[in-house]
Amino acid sequence: MPILQSTFKPRFQFKNGFIATVYSGIIRTVKLQQTRERMDTRDGDFLDLDWSYAKAKSDAVIILLHGLEGHAQRPYVTGTAKLFNENGMDALCMNFRGCSGTDNRFYRSYHSGATNDLDDVIQHCIHNKKYSKIYLQGISLGGNVVLKYVGEERQVPDEVKAAIGISVPAYLDGSSTELQKLINRPFAIRFRKHLLDKLRIKQQQFPELLSDKKLSDIKTLREFDDFYTSKAHGFKDAMDYYTQCSSLQFAKDIKVPTLVINALNDTFLSAKCYPVKEAKQNANLYLEMPDYGGHVGFIQKGGVYYNEMRALEFVKSLKSS
């Protein structure tokens, strides 16, 4: 499809990508009542699913996937859930393994390419919850999972009508390199701290795999992926993990209508994270690249973010077509 022309025009102070990113990640609040359900996965682990509902019974649900070290109560997730609830659709905010406040059962947890858990949730929504219309939205890392899912060599269920990716690091090696740059150091330090805190919890169950020295030797996010993410999930090293799991390579095969919104001033993304060529060659892939927005920082007046408004518009346009 042609590249979409963006109409996003933030207020002056939020044209700065750093400010927009920090405000959206730390300061923004969204009030939403959620109900938690624990679902077993195909391999014997579990996922915590946080539900919110439309006022009237709905046969449509949006499944929302958070970013690295996020959870289902983050405003960038609940903002979309609330908007969809107000427009007649249920919302399921999926916590990745170990991200709901309770450690998961295994040494492995979650990563940017782990699509089986998403598939388990989709099957749960179809067979146990009886939804006939399912929409997927992933933010940041969750966006990579969603794009990979709808582009893999799998049969995407007919009930999955559309997918949306926001601030997607579609080329993981490039995004990892960007996060190590000086401008992103505060974010990288924060991510690393949260990830290591998680491993210290796992250390109690797997002390033979997670010694104090090994944990103290991890200084960067790439080193974390080399030591834990790759090895725990069956990859050779960080580069092998990035190569196999980057959603960019799956973009040409995306099977359902998919909207990607990546801001041009998102310092987390490298040039290859913008699937321009793929969007031009795949009729199912719509790419919007606003000048502003930072990383998940599409702030506009009224409390509803631009990306949330566009996600709803995209879904409604498909329902009416």
Side-chain angles (χ1 to χ4, degrees):
M1 295 297 294
I3 306 302
L4 300 180
Q5 185 66 39
S6 181
T7 61
F8 178 54
K9 292 181 174 59
R11 287 177 287 176
F12 176 77
Q13 64 270 36
F14 294 124
K15 289 184 176 181
N16 182 293
F18 181 85
I19 293 174
T21 302
V22 170
Y23 178 90
S24 301
I26 298 177
I27 300 174
R28 185 192 187 193
T29 59
V30 175
K31 291 183 179 180
L32 181 69
Q33 183 68 41
Q34 293 174 307
T35 301
R36 177 160 290 185
E37 174 190 13
R38 180 159 291 183
M39 187 200 82
D40 290 330
T41 61
R42 68 184 71 180
D43 62 354
D45 210 337
F46 69 90
L47 296 171
D48 284 332
L49 314 177
D50 291 328
W51 290 87
S52 61
Y53 301 97
K55 288 183 179 180
K57 182 175 175 59
S58 177
D59 66 343
V61 63
I62 184 167
I63 300 173
L64 295 154
L65 282 67
H66 60 77
L68 179 65
E69 286 307 284
H71 50 73
Q73 284 69 53
R74 294 300 299 273
Y76 62 75
V77 175
T78 54
T80 301
K82 183 177 181 180
L83 182 62
F84 273 67
N85 293 161
E86 292 170 348
N87 284 270
M89 287 170 269
D90 296 340
L92 185 169
C93 299
M94 169 183 160
N95 294 278
F96 288 119
R97 300 189 192 202
C99 292
S100 64
T102 303
D103 192 25
N104 66 305
R105 295 173 183 145
F106 302 143
Y107 181 61
R108 62 185 181 275
S109 54
Y110 74 99
H111 62 81
S112 298
T115 53
N116 282 344
D117 285 354
L118 174 57
D119 189 57
D120 283 351
V121 172
I122 291 170
Q123 298 302 327
H124 178 61
C125 286
I126 295 170
H127 299 293
N128 299 326
K129 301 297 184 178
K130 308 303 181 183
Y131 287 104
S132 61
K133 301 180 187 70
I134 298 173
Y135 306 99
L136 310 177
Q137 177 171 297
I139 299 92
S140 195
L141 178 149
N144 191 81
V145 174
V146 165
L147 296 190
K148 182 172 179 282
Y149 177 83
V150 294
E152 288 177 322
E153 291 184 2
R154 68 164 73 236
Q155 182 63 45
V156 176
D158 291 339
E159 290 84 357
V160 175
K161 305 301 184 185
I164 301 151
I166 307 298
S167 301
V168 184
Y171 181 65
L172 296 173
D173 181 44
S175 187
S176 175
T177 298
E178 294 300 317
L179 277 169
Q180 302 312 314
K181 293 182 178 179
L182 182 61
I183 191 172
N184 289 318
R185 184 167 294 174
F187 303 110
I189 291 172
R190 192 164 183 259
F191 284 139
R192 174 181 165 274
K193 179 185 183 303
H194 287 181
L195 289 164
L196 287 176
D197 286 346
K198 289 274 187 73
L199 284 194
R200 290 190 177 95
I201 293 172
K202 284 198 177 293
Q203 187 181 29
Q204 299 170 29
Q205 187 177 357
F206 304 99
E208 72 283 2
L209 298 174
L210 298 168
S211 67
D212 288 336
K213 183 179 185 309
K214 287 180 178 177
L215 296 184
S216 65
D217 284 344
I218 298 173
K219 305 301 182 186
T220 68
L221 292 175
R222 190 177 288 262
E223 288 177 359
F224 180 90
D225 287 337
D226 252 329
F227 169 71
Y228 173 74
T229 312
S230 59
K231 305 298 192 303
H233 299 98
F235 303 101
K236 180 181 177 182
D237 52 24
M239 195 62 206
D240 183 42
Y241 158 53
Y242 298 154
T243 300
Q244 292 197 47
C245 293
S246 291
S247 61
L248 181 66
Q249 64 196 303
F250 301 98
K252 69 182 186 305
D253 298 316
I254 285 175
K255 307 170 186 68
V256 301
T258 298
L259 172 66
V260 176
I261 303 177
N262 280 0
L264 292 174
N265 71 338
D266 187 339
T267 60
F268 288 22
L269 305 183
S270 69
K272 285 189 177 181
C273 290
Y274 300 85
V276 175
K277 179 182 71 174
E278 291 77 9
K280 290 179 178 179
Q281 295 175 350
N282 186 344
N284 286 318
L285 181 57
Y286 300 76
L287 176 62
E288 183 173 340
M289 298 178 288
D291 290 332
Y292 309 107
H295 195 70
V296 203
F298 301 94
I299 306 161
Q300 61 181 10
K301 292 180 181 179
V304 175
Y305 274 37
Y306 177 79
N307 60 288
E308 296 161 359
M309 177 194 75
R310 287 288 295 118
L312 182 63
E313 289 176 347
F314 186 65
V315 165
K316 284 186 172 181
S317 72
L318 298 171
K319 289 175 72 175
S320 63
S321 61

